[in-house]
Amino acid sequence: MTHLIATFFYVGHMRPAPGTWGSLAALPAAWMIYALFGPWGLIAGIVLSYVLGVWATGIETKGKDNHDPSEIVIDEVCGQWIALLPLAFGAMRQDADILALWPGWIAAFALFRLFDITKWGPVGWADRMAGPTGVMLDDVIAGVFAALGVTALAALYHIILV
């Protein structure tokens, strides 16, 4: 069960770039959660993925030298869902189809991957933490930065083009 969670239903075994595959797999999962439960369901998914991610990662890496193996992608899923929060609440607020906000989906994905891969600032600090909390926390921070970027880009779009 922990391997299923940590690899997000084995998506983490896809090559190359399992983290990117995990982030991509998070997109339709987020859409499904949003369609069923709205933005608050996405928040619940984020909390659940974080808690289960810390637990599963701890078990999957116990006694191993590598505390963040590439097949563990539940952290990318959690961070990607955070990056999508502005879209979820924006769609709800405007009573819009969340898929109609497709440029935001692209921005959320691209910004999250940018912050997750480059490990700038606090993302890198969290990545250097030992244990499952560090595995999850760097992607949470990358997701927050990406969400802020998505919000800024949406504001620019509405100020300039609308």
Side-chain angles (χ1 to χ4, degrees), residues 62-161:
K62 188 173 185 166
K64 297 178 182 173
D65 290 335
N66 186 355
H67 80 280
D68 192 2
S70 62
E71 69 269 11
I72 294 179
V73 296
I74 189 65
D75 51 332
E76 273 83 8
V77 171
C78 182
Q80 186 64 70
W81 287 352
I82 292 168
L84 293 169
L85 278 177
L87 300 173
F89 280 98
M92 180 189 73
R93 184 171 175 255
Q94 296 298 318
D95 196 27
D97 178 3
I98 194 167
L99 295 179
L101 305 177
W102 63 267
W105 288 79
I106 294 169
F109 176 79
L111 288 170
F112 174 70
R113 294 308 298 147
L114 173 71
F115 289 119
D116 186 31
I117 291 168
T118 60
K119 308 286 188 211
W120 290 335
V123 180
W125 166 80
D127 186 60
R128 290 186 294 276
M129 292 175 66
T133 300
V135 171
M136 295 298 297
L137 190 58
D138 75 306
D139 292 275
V140 166
I141 296 168
V144 169
F145 285 168
L148 292 171
V150 167
T151 302
L153 289 171
L156 279 172
Y157 171 80
H158 288 286
I159 290 169
I160 295 171
L161 298 175

